[in-house]
Amino acid sequence: MTHLPPPAEELRLLDAELRQLDARRAQLLARRAWLVSTLQRIQQPLPVAWSPTAPPRPETAAPSVQNVLLVLGGVLLTLAAAVFTLVSWGHMGITGRALVLGAVTLAALAGPVLLLKRGLRSTAESVAGLGLALTVLDAYALHEAALTGTDGTGYAAAASAVLAVIWSAYGLLPATAALRLPLPSALAVAQFPLLLSALAADAGPYVITAALLVTAGLDTVVALRVTAVSVRIAAVVGAYGMGGWGVLAAGWLSLAADDPGAAARAGGLLLLAAAIALGAVWRGPGTRHALGLAITSGLLTVGALGGVARSGLPSEWAVPAHLVCGIALLAAVRAGRLPDAIRQGFAWASGVVQALALLWTLPVLTVVLLGPAGWVGRVWSGAPSDARTAATVEAPWPPDSAAAPVVLVAVAAVLALAIRAEQWRARARLGALGLLWATALMLPAAVGIPYVAGMSVLGVMTAAALYVRRATAPAARLTALVLALVTSVSLALTALASQTATLVVLSALVALFAAASWQASVAPVTAPAALVYAAALASATGAAADWAPARTALLVLAVPVAAALLAARLGEHRATMPVEIVGAATGLLAVGLAVTAPPLLALVLALCGVIAAGTALRPDRRPVGYAATALFVLAAWVRLAAWDVGTPEAYTLPVTVPALLVGALRRRRDPRASSWTAYGPGLAATLLPSLVAAWADPHWTRPLLLGTAALLVTLLGARQHLQAPLVLGGSVLALVTLHELAPYVVQVTGALPRWAPPALAGLLLLALGATYEQRIRDVRRVREVLGRMN
């Protein structure tokens, strides 16, 4: 069993343990304080005189300094040699010239061998660069000394070829194989022999372009076969540079070709460029340039074949010819023997060609869609003869656009048939549907069918799009709705040319979109569209009946009524908010139409207030009641202004009475509501304008009535302990009284001596000062009483 000491003994042991812990804690705290002070002294900054200074860090590494010095040395030596060759050459004989320049060149070319043996590779590279530059000067000196009669361009071609061979041989020698400069330099100078030879032979642009492309092809071969990184970089730069210039030149020749022969020669050059790019992809399919080169090859092939076909076709069929060539590339995509990079590149190239062809049709589609908007400024000026005239009211018809529908149909066929991947098939079909819609929209204007037939086509397209909206796929439904809306707008604008067409088309559109609204999934779009066209139909009907705009506004108000009834029936449906927004916008349209006739404007505002009040009866639309009240007040004001009523109370009392009733109802439901919130706006709406009018009124009737009303308000506020009526009524009563007594105060002030007003003021201040404490208590008591009022 555990031994338990007596309580007194256990208490003594606990006290001893606690004393030991306190002593140990004090020791540890003292040690901690010493350590903190020591660390603080160490972390303090030393004086400037004793602060250790770190050695300066070099800003440039030693190899960088070495390379800069070597490059500068090589450049300076090259410049010195050039100056010697160009300036001091004439002071020496032919033997001296040859010996000096030859000796210096041989020494510069032999120097890197010795330097490489000693491990000075950077210095060897600099000296080798000097030697290569000296060989160029040797070639120049040879021409100036012994071959002055030769053609300069031809000599430059031969010299560049010889220099390329010499530099290549120098870079391939076993003793100088470690140098990186000779072989890229040889490849760089090898870019010029063919081009300079063509220029020296006065060859035509086709031969010069061929020289550029052949040089690019040779660079491509070097880039694919050589493993040295520096040589491959130089070859790639040369291939892209010379090939780019060659492709631009061949493209320009193809565009400028005016006969099939010239177009065939330019096409051959483009095919050569395409073959070079395709060969690069074939030999190196895994490189990062493979896809871009395959796309370039496909585009160049299309340009070559399309250019040849264009030369023998009318101008309007040039784009379809290129499109056919672009679609033909898809046959290569289906070929299983081609590398994946080529197949993918050809597919992208075909897509680019088709996209460019679609861009070519965009001006025609823009004219067809937006051109009828020009009838807005020429409403009911007369029906045009055909659909093209109806579309080209303000904008001309694009030239050479007869084949635009063919382009759209061809691309639609490709999207519908050629794309078989599951993740893209649905989108491709939607794109094909859109292109077919654009074709049908463009075809009446392109063919030039009669005006009524063109509108019939647009109406059928609208109805068809609304029928297709039954599709289950959300993307297809959305696409069909967008197409239906766009087509209906174009149809409505086209119908503005004729009064009969406008009324018939708008009636048909209202019926179509109203019928489509029975499907709940599309009602948020079709129901507002039906209301918009109904408002347009109401406006057109009023104009056709020769009604004034203000009278037409009463007819337009039928649309907000229908919108309010429809929104009440829909309830929490997604279409409720769009329908209400369109109804409110139509109400604003009616108000705008009635602005010129104040009596009818008052009626329109009142009817809008009735519609808003009916909407406010719905539990979720209670805040609309404020808008209804504002509309009723505006209607009353407009009516009074139409009667030439200038009394402000006639305008303010229609606001005050409803506001006070609403405040009373609120106080009844919520006794804690502030009187300023409940009654303040209503009382201020009448008392303050009447007070301003009373101060400018020379008669006694208005001040008497206003003072009586203010007195009643004050008494009611005091009886009911309401702060807002008491303060507003009392303030207005005091100001009215001051206004009425002001003449007498002025008269008394004029009768008194000049010293009397200051004396009276001084006495008043003395009296107030004598009873200061009592006055303070009275003021506090009044403030407490007002504070207890609500």
Side-chain angles (χ1 to χ4, degrees), residues 673-779:
S674 173
S675 62
W676 287 102
T677 304
Y679 303 116
L683 293 174
T686 294
L687 292 178
L688 297 182
S690 299
L691 179 62
V692 175
W695 273 66
D697 194 348
H699 304 288
W700 58 272
T701 306
R702 186 189 302 275
L704 177 60
L705 295 176
L706 179 60
T708 303
L711 178 60
L712 292 176
V713 171
T714 304
L715 295 177
L716 289 175
R719 180 179 177 83
Q720 300 295 329
H721 298 281
L722 297 176
Q723 192 179 94
L726 181 61
V727 174
L728 288 175
S731 301
V732 173
L733 180 60
L735 292 174
V736 171
T737 304
L738 178 61
H739 173 265
E740 293 301 313
L741 296 178
Y744 301 100
V745 173
V746 172
Q747 184 178 0
V748 171
T749 304
L752 291 176
R754 294 184 177 273
W755 53 266
L760 292 175
L763 291 174
L764 179 61
L765 292 176
L766 289 176
L768 291 175
T771 57
Y772 181 77
E773 185 177 0
Q774 181 65 33
R775 301 304 179 193
I776 292 297
R777 285 200 299 268
D778 294 341
V779 170

Side-chain angles (χ1 to χ4, degrees), residues 61-398:
S64 300
V65 176
Q66 167 191 308
N67 293 334
V68 170
L69 294 177
L70 291 175
V71 170
L72 284 177
V75 170
L76 292 177
L77 288 176
T78 303
L79 292 176
V83 171
F84 170 78
T85 304
L86 298 176
V87 178
S88 301
W89 186 260
H91 301 288
M92 303 179 63
I94 185 65
T95 305
R97 301 174 192 175
L99 291 176
V100 171
L101 197 55
V104 173
T105 302
L106 291 176
L109 293 176
V113 177
L114 301 176
L115 293 173
L116 288 174
K117 290 181 179 180
R118 297 193 176 188
L120 301 176
R121 182 170 181 175
S122 299
T123 307
E125 293 283 357
S126 300
V127 176
L130 175 61
L132 298 180
L134 288 175
T135 57
V136 177
L137 295 177
D138 289 338
Y140 172 77
L142 179 62
H143 179 269
E144 293 297 323
L147 302 174
T148 54
T150 59
D151 177 61
T153 306
Y155 179 80
S160 59
V162 173
L163 289 176
V165 173
I166 293 174
W167 291 359
S168 300
Y170 180 72
L172 294 175
L173 292 175
T176 57
L179 296 175
R180 299 178 181 178
L181 187 61
L183 292 180
S185 301
L187 188 60
V189 77
Q191 307 299 311
F192 303 103
L194 291 179
L195 177 61
L196 294 177
S197 298
L199 294 175
D202 292 331
Y206 294 95
V207 177
I208 295 175
T209 304
L212 291 172
L213 294 176
V214 170
T215 304
L218 295 176
D219 291 332
T220 304
V221 173
V222 173
L224 292 174
R225 291 185 175 275
V226 177
T227 58
V229 178
S230 58
V231 180
R232 292 186 64 183
I233 293 176
V236 169
V237 172
Y240 278 113
M242 303 301 284
W245 282 109
V247 167
L248 290 177
W252 178 81
L253 291 174
S254 178
L255 292 176
D258 52 358
D259 58 84
R265 290 192 296 271
L269 294 174
L270 290 174
L271 288 177
L272 175 60
I276 294 172
L278 189 63
V281 179
W282 196 288
R283 298 295 298 177
T287 62
R288 57 184 177 179
H289 302 274
L291 180 60
L293 291 173
I295 295 174
T296 304
S297 177
L299 293 177
L300 291 176
T301 303
V302 172
L305 300 179
V308 175
R310 183 185 66 249
S311 62
L313 294 174
S315 57
E316 60 267 19
W317 292 98
V319 173
H322 286 82
L323 179 62
V324 170
C325 298
I327 296 175
L329 285 178
L330 296 177
V333 177
R334 299 294 181 186
R337 297 182 179 180
L338 294 177
D340 292 338
I342 296 178
R343 296 172 59 191
Q344 188 176 3
F346 279 8
W348 277 100
S350 179
V352 170
V353 173
Q354 295 177 56
L356 293 176
L358 292 180
L359 286 178
W360 176 72
T361 65
L362 191 59
V364 184
L365 187 61
T366 303
V367 171
V368 173
L369 284 177
L370 303 180
W375 291 108
V376 175
R378 305 180 184 183
V379 177
W380 299 349
S381 59
S385 59
D386 53 25
R388 180 177 295 187
T389 307
T392 56
V393 183
E394 300 290 343
W397 186 257

